[in-house]
Amino acid sequence: MNKLILLFLMVASFIQLSYSQYNLIPDSSFEKNKGIPLTYSAIDYSGSWTSATRATPDLFCQCSKKQAKESKVNVPNNSMGQQEAYSGKCYAGIFLVSHSYYREFIQTNLNSPLEAGKEYTFKMQVSLSDYSPLASDKIGVCFLNSTLKLPHSDPIVNLQPNYISLEEEVGLDVNDWHELSFRYKAKGGESALLIGSFAIKRIWKTGNTPPNEISSPIYKRIDRDAYYYIDDVCLYEYKPEKIDTSDVGETPYFANQIQEKPEEIIVAPDTVQKMNFNEVVSLNNVFFKSGEDILTPESFAEINILLVYLKARPNLRIELFGHTDNSGDEASNQLLSQKRAEAIGNYLIKKGISEIRIKAIGYGSSKPIDSNLTESGRKANRRVEFNLIEN
C-alpha cells in the first residue's frame, strides 16, 4: 500500500510539474509550417504565426542541398546573415527599424486565454543578424484579446507593450542567441501575443553591411535597417518556488520588465547619434552618489552609448577625465575624481571592453569650466569627460 501511495504521489507531482511548464505558445520555434520557404516575406507559411500589419516578416528554414542553392531564407546561411536555429530547423526574422517608418510585427494566438491576476513568465531567443547595419535599443511584447490586421506597415501605437532591453542583453553581438525574458501579470482574457518595435529611443550603427555578392533586402548604401532573428518563444504560468523565509534578503528586481507608454515620435535612421573622435566631451547625464564613486542607475543609458561605439569600432580607445569643484581638501578631490573616472572604465570593462583600451585620469578641481562661487558653477565643474581616440 505504501508503495502504491508513493507511486501515486510521484505521478501526481509529475503531472503538476508538466502542467505548470505548459507552453501557451502553439508553435514556439516556428517548426509547424505549410512548406519550406525559399524567399522572403513567407511568415504566412507558418501554421500559427502571422503579420499584424501589411508588412512582411520572414520565415527561415533549413533546406535540402538542392533547395539551399536557390533559397534566400535558408538556415544557417541566408540573405540576412548566418545563424543556426536555436532549436529545431526554423526561426522568424523581422525589421525593428527600416526605411521611413516601416516596421514588422509577428503575432500568434495563445493555446488558452490568460487568467486574471495570474503571473506568467515570457521568454524568447533573439539574435541580431550579421548584415544588420543598425541595432535597436529595445523590442516590445504585447498581450492582446485578439490578433490584429492593420492596413499599414508603420509602427503600431496606442498599445502598452512590455519592453525588453536589446541594448543590455544583445548589444552589437551577431554571433549568439540571447534569451530575453520578463514576468507578466495578466488582466484576464488575453489570448494573443504580438512582438515587434512599437517605440524606439536609440539606434546605433553596427559597422555591418551585406557583402556585395549577397542579394539582401537589407539596404547596402544607407544605414537604415535593424534586423533581428527570433526563435523559441515561450509563455508559462509562473510558479514561484517555495523559499525559506527565515533569512529574508533583498527583494528581487526584475530589470528586464520595462513598461512604458509607447512613443509616437520614432527616431529615424538618419538621426543616429554621431560621436566626434579626438575631442573632449562631457558626459551630461552621468551621476554619482554624493561624495562617492558609485554610479546611479540613470547614468547607464549614456554610458551604454559609449559602450556600443567601442564595441562597434575595435580601433577606438577611450580616455576618461574626472573633475570636482573646489569644495573640501584638494587631495581628497583628486582621489574622488580619479575613482569616478575609473568607475566608468570598470563598467565598460565589465561589459566586454578590454582594459588596455581605457585610460582614467582624475584632475580634482584643477580644471574648472565655470565659477566655483555659485552652486550652478560648482555643479558644472563636477563632471566626467571622455575622449574617443582612433588608433
Side-chain angles (χ1 to χ4, degrees), residues 163-185:
Y163 287 112
I164 313 176
S165 172
L166 296 172
E167 177 181 344
E168 284 289 325
E169 303 297 333
V170 180
L172 302 181
D173 177 36
V174 297
N175 296 314
D176 300 320
W177 289 100
H178 296 262
E179 183 175 280
L180 308 181
S181 65
F182 64 89
R183 197 185 303 166
Y184 175 74
K185 187 173 183 178

mmCIF file of all heavy atoms in Angstrom, residues 163-185:
data_model
loop_
_atom_site.group_PDB
_atom_site.id
_atom_site.type_symbol
_atom_site.label_atom_id
_atom_site.label_comp_id
_atom_site.label_asym_id
_atom_site.label_seq_id
_atom_site.Cartn_x
_atom_site.Cartn_y
_atom_site.Cartn_z
ATOM 1 N N TYR A 163 8.421 46.291 -22.681
ATOM 2 C CA TYR A 163 9.673 46.466 -23.421
ATOM 3 C C TYR A 163 10.794 45.662 -22.774
ATOM 4 O O TYR A 163 10.915 45.612 -21.558
ATOM 5 C CB TYR A 163 10.069 47.940 -23.469
ATOM 6 C CG TYR A 163 9.210 48.764 -24.387
ATOM 7 C CD1 TYR A 163 8.344 49.727 -23.871
ATOM 8 C CD2 TYR A 163 9.241 48.563 -25.758
ATOM 9 C CE1 TYR A 163 7.545 50.477 -24.707
ATOM 10 C CE2 TYR A 163 8.439 49.314 -26.599
ATOM 11 C CZ TYR A 163 7.593 50.274 -26.075
ATOM 12 O OH TYR A 163 6.797 51.003 -26.913
ATOM 13 N N ILE A 164 11.609 45.049 -23.619
ATOM 14 C CA ILE A 164 12.792 44.319 -23.168
ATOM 15 C C ILE A 164 14.012 44.982 -23.789
ATOM 16 O O ILE A 164 14.040 45.258 -24.990
ATOM 17 C CB ILE A 164 12.745 42.836 -23.580
ATOM 18 C CG1 ILE A 164 11.387 42.224 -23.251
ATOM 19 C CG2 ILE A 164 13.856 42.060 -22.891
ATOM 20 C CD1 ILE A 164 11.233 40.794 -23.714
ATOM 21 N N SER A 165 15.021 45.223 -22.985
ATOM 22 C CA SER A 165 16.223 45.913 -23.459
ATOM 23 C C SER A 165 17.050 45.022 -24.384
ATOM 24 O O SER A 165 17.494 43.947 -23.990
ATOM 25 C CB SER A 165 17.080 46.353 -22.268
ATOM 26 O OG SER A 165 18.319 46.864 -22.721
ATOM 27 N N LEU A 166 17.257 45.472 -25.603
ATOM 28 C CA LEU A 166 18.223 44.841 -26.509
ATOM 29 C C LEU A 166 19.606 45.434 -26.293
ATOM 30 O O LEU A 166 20.625 44.778 -26.495
ATOM 31 C CB LEU A 166 17.800 45.042 -27.966
ATOM 32 C CG LEU A 166 16.489 44.390 -28.387
ATOM 33 C CD1 LEU A 166 16.109 44.842 -29.790
ATOM 34 C CD2 LEU A 166 16.593 42.874 -28.348
ATOM 35 N N GLU A 167 19.612 46.681 -25.864
ATOM 36 C CA GLU A 167 20.863 47.404 -25.604
ATOM 37 C C GLU A 167 21.723 46.652 -24.596
ATOM 38 O O GLU A 167 22.926 46.456 -24.797
ATOM 39 C CB GLU A 167 20.491 48.785 -25.082
ATOM 40 C CG GLU A 167 21.626 49.686 -24.685
ATOM 41 C CD GLU A 167 21.120 51.009 -24.152
ATOM 42 O OE1 GLU A 167 19.934 51.343 -24.362
ATOM 43 O OE2 GLU A 167 21.908 51.710 -23.515
ATOM 44 N N GLU A 168 21.112 46.193 -23.512
ATOM 45 C CA GLU A 168 21.849 45.496 -22.466
ATOM 46 C C GLU A 168 22.058 44.026 -22.798
ATOM 47 O O GLU A 168 23.130 43.471 -22.565
ATOM 48 C CB GLU A 168 21.084 45.609 -21.142
ATOM 49 C CG GLU A 168 21.202 46.965 -20.475
ATOM 50 C CD GLU A 168 22.586 47.212 -19.908
ATOM 51 O OE1 GLU A 168 23.226 46.267 -19.422
ATOM 52 O OE2 GLU A 168 23.049 48.356 -19.971
ATOM 53 N N GLU A 169 21.022 43.369 -23.314
ATOM 54 C CA GLU A 169 21.052 41.910 -23.452
ATOM 55 C C GLU A 169 21.706 41.428 -24.740
ATOM 56 O O GLU A 169 22.287 40.355 -24.788
ATOM 57 C CB GLU A 169 19.620 41.355 -23.359
ATOM 58 C CG GLU A 169 18.898 41.720 -22.077
ATOM 59 C CD GLU A 169 19.578 41.135 -20.855
ATOM 60 O OE1 GLU A 169 20.242 40.098 -20.983
ATOM 61 O OE2 GLU A 169 19.440 41.726 -19.770
ATOM 62 N N VAL A 170 21.587 42.193 -25.829
ATOM 63 C CA VAL A 170 22.105 41.759 -27.134
ATOM 64 C C VAL A 170 23.252 42.653 -27.590
ATOM 65 O O VAL A 170 24.281 42.177 -28.053
ATOM 66 C CB VAL A 170 20.986 41.748 -28.196
ATOM 67 C CG1 VAL A 170 21.529 41.291 -29.558
ATOM 68 C CG2 VAL A 170 19.829 40.843 -27.763
ATOM 69 N N GLY A 171 23.059 43.968 -27.469
ATOM 70 C CA GLY A 171 24.097 44.901 -27.909
ATOM 71 C C GLY A 171 24.362 44.788 -29.395
ATOM 72 O O GLY A 171 23.433 44.774 -30.212
ATOM 73 N N LEU A 172 25.632 44.658 -29.768
ATOM 74 C CA LEU A 172 26.018 44.544 -31.171
ATOM 75 C C LEU A 172 26.462 43.129 -31.532
ATOM 76 O O LEU A 172 26.995 42.909 -32.614
ATOM 77 C CB LEU A 172 27.150 45.529 -31.486
ATOM 78 C CG LEU A 172 26.842 47.003 -31.218
ATOM 79 C CD1 LEU A 172 28.031 47.866 -31.600
ATOM 80 C CD2 LEU A 172 25.607 47.440 -31.968
ATOM 81 N N ASP A 173 26.219 42.172 -30.655
ATOM 82 C CA ASP A 173 26.647 40.798 -30.898
ATOM 83 C C ASP A 173 25.799 40.155 -31.988
ATOM 84 O O ASP A 173 24.568 40.151 -31.908
ATOM 85 C CB ASP A 173 26.532 39.983 -29.610
ATOM 86 C CG ASP A 173 26.884 38.522 -29.817
ATOM 87 O OD1 ASP A 173 27.794 38.248 -30.632
ATOM 88 O OD2 ASP A 173 26.252 37.662 -29.190
ATOM 89 N N VAL A 174 26.449 39.599 -33.007
ATOM 90 C CA VAL A 174 25.729 38.919 -34.091
ATOM 91 C C VAL A 174 25.982 37.410 -34.078
ATOM 92 O O VAL A 174 25.487 36.699 -34.951
ATOM 93 C CB VAL A 174 26.129 39.491 -35.473
ATOM 94 C CG1 VAL A 174 25.746 40.955 -35.592
ATOM 95 C CG2 VAL A 174 27.631 39.307 -35.734
ATOM 96 N N ASN A 175 26.722 36.928 -33.104
ATOM 97 C CA ASN A 175 27.108 35.507 -33.108
ATOM 98 C C ASN A 175 26.137 34.613 -32.353
ATOM 99 O O ASN A 175 25.839 33.506 -32.800
ATOM 100 C CB ASN A 175 28.514 35.350 -32.513
ATOM 101 C CG ASN A 175 29.567 36.037 -33.345
ATOM 102 O OD1 ASN A 175 29.589 35.910 -34.561
ATOM 103 N ND2 ASN A 175 30.440 36.791 -32.697
ATOM 104 N N ASP A 176 25.644 35.064 -31.221
ATOM 105 C CA ASP A 176 24.905 34.182 -30.316
ATOM 106 C C ASP A 176 23.430 34.543 -30.238
ATOM 107 O O ASP A 176 23.023 35.674 -30.503
ATOM 108 C CB ASP A 176 25.509 34.251 -28.909
ATOM 109 C CG ASP A 176 26.962 33.814 -28.883
ATOM 110 O OD1 ASP A 176 27.299 32.847 -29.587
ATOM 111 O OD2 ASP A 176 27.752 34.463 -28.166
ATOM 112 N N TRP A 177 22.648 33.567 -29.809
ATOM 113 C CA TRP A 177 21.276 33.811 -29.394
ATOM 114 C C TRP A 177 21.291 34.350 -27.966
ATOM 115 O O TRP A 177 22.120 33.936 -27.155
ATOM 116 C CB TRP A 177 20.461 32.525 -29.439
ATOM 117 C CG TRP A 177 20.152 32.026 -30.819
ATOM 118 C CD1 TRP A 177 20.786 31.032 -31.499
ATOM 119 C CD2 TRP A 177 19.109 32.501 -31.682
ATOM 120 N NE1 TRP A 177 20.221 30.851 -32.735
ATOM 121 C CE2 TRP A 177 19.179 31.740 -32.879
ATOM 122 C CE3 TRP A 177 18.125 33.476 -31.571
ATOM 123 C CZ2 TRP A 177 18.298 31.940 -33.943
ATOM 124 C CZ3 TRP A 177 17.257 33.683 -32.628
ATOM 125 C CH2 TRP A 177 17.344 32.918 -33.799
ATOM 126 N N HIS A 178 20.377 35.260 -27.666
ATOM 127 C CA HIS A 178 20.278 35.835 -26.325
ATOM 128 C C HIS A 178 18.864 35.634 -25.808
ATOM 129 O O HIS A 178 17.896 35.970 -26.499
ATOM 130 C CB HIS A 178 20.606 37.331 -26.355
ATOM 131 C CG HIS A 178 22.013 37.616 -26.770
ATOM 132 N ND1 HIS A 178 23.025 37.855 -25.861
ATOM 133 C CD2 HIS A 178 22.588 37.682 -27.997
ATOM 134 C CE1 HIS A 178 24.153 38.068 -26.511
ATOM 135 N NE2 HIS A 178 23.912 37.963 -27.809
ATOM 136 N N GLU A 179 18.746 35.104 -24.601
ATOM 137 C CA GLU A 179 17.428 34.897 -24.007
ATOM 138 C C GLU A 179 16.921 36.187 -23.376
ATOM 139 O O GLU A 179 17.575 36.766 -22.519
ATOM 140 C CB GLU A 179 17.476 33.792 -22.955
ATOM 141 C CG GLU A 179 16.099 33.499 -22.350
ATOM 142 C CD GLU A 179 16.126 32.322 -21.394
ATOM 143 O OE1 GLU A 179 16.112 31.170 -21.879
ATOM 144 O OE2 GLU A 179 16.163 32.560 -20.168
ATOM 145 N N LEU A 180 15.761 36.638 -23.818
ATOM 146 C CA LEU A 180 15.100 37.807 -23.251
ATOM 147 C C LEU A 180 13.881 37.322 -22.478
ATOM 148 O O LEU A 180 13.144 36.461 -22.963
ATOM 149 C CB LEU A 180 14.660 38.778 -24.344
ATOM 150 C CG LEU A 180 15.729 39.196 -25.365
ATOM 151 C CD1 LEU A 180 15.142 40.172 -26.364
ATOM 152 C CD2 LEU A 180 16.933 39.812 -24.674
ATOM 153 N N SER A 181 13.634 37.861 -21.301
ATOM 154 C CA SER A 181 12.516 37.358 -20.503
ATOM 155 C C SER A 181 11.971 38.446 -19.585
ATOM 156 O O SER A 181 12.652 39.429 -19.274
ATOM 157 C CB SER A 181 12.956 36.146 -19.671
ATOM 158 O OG SER A 181 13.924 36.529 -18.707
ATOM 159 N N PHE A 182 10.737 38.264 -19.159
ATOM 160 C CA PHE A 182 10.134 39.109 -18.133
ATOM 161 C C PHE A 182 8.926 38.368 -17.568
ATOM 162 O O PHE A 182 8.471 37.369 -18.114
ATOM 163 C CB PHE A 182 9.718 40.482 -18.692
ATOM 164 C CG PHE A 182 8.647 40.428 -19.749
ATOM 165 C CD1 PHE A 182 7.308 40.474 -19.400
ATOM 166 C CD2 PHE A 182 8.986 40.352 -21.090
ATOM 167 C CE1 PHE A 182 6.322 40.428 -20.362
ATOM 168 C CE2 PHE A 182 8.007 40.309 -22.069
ATOM 169 C CZ PHE A 182 6.670 40.351 -21.706
ATOM 170 N N ARG A 183 8.415 38.872 -16.454
ATOM 171 C CA ARG A 183 7.227 38.304 -15.838
ATOM 172 C C ARG A 183 6.053 39.239 -16.079
ATOM 173 O O ARG A 183 6.191 40.455 -15.967
ATOM 174 C CB ARG A 183 7.448 38.084 -14.350
ATOM 175 C CG ARG A 183 6.426 37.131 -13.716
ATOM 176 C CD ARG A 183 6.627 37.039 -12.216
ATOM 177 N NE ARG A 183 7.984 36.611 -11.884
ATOM 178 C CZ ARG A 183 8.488 36.709 -10.667
ATOM 179 N NH1 ARG A 183 7.775 37.226 -9.682
ATOM 180 N NH2 ARG A 183 9.719 36.295 -10.432
ATOM 181 N N TYR A 184 4.895 38.654 -16.394
ATOM 182 C CA TYR A 184 3.713 39.440 -16.752
ATOM 183 C C TYR A 184 2.526 39.044 -15.890
ATOM 184 O O TYR A 184 2.233 37.853 -15.738
ATOM 185 C CB TYR A 184 3.377 39.217 -18.227
ATOM 186 C CG TYR A 184 2.103 39.880 -18.688
ATOM 187 C CD1 TYR A 184 2.046 41.251 -18.872
ATOM 188 C CD2 TYR A 184 0.957 39.125 -18.952
ATOM 189 C CE1 TYR A 184 0.874 41.870 -19.307
ATOM 190 C CE2 TYR A 184 -0.217 39.732 -19.384
ATOM 191 C CZ TYR A 184 -0.250 41.104 -19.557
ATOM 192 O OH TYR A 184 -1.399 41.717 -19.982
ATOM 193 N N LYS A 185 1.839 40.031 -15.314
ATOM 194 C CA LYS A 185 0.631 39.769 -14.538
ATOM 195 C C LYS A 185 -0.576 40.028 -15.429
ATOM 196 O O LYS A 185 -0.780 41.152 -15.910
ATOM 197 C CB LYS A 185 0.580 40.656 -13.293
ATOM 198 C CG LYS A 185 -0.563 40.303 -12.353
ATOM 199 C CD LYS A 185 -0.460 41.098 -11.056
ATOM 200 C CE LYS A 185 -1.550 40.692 -10.075
ATOM 201 N NZ LYS A 185 -1.442 41.426 -8.798
#
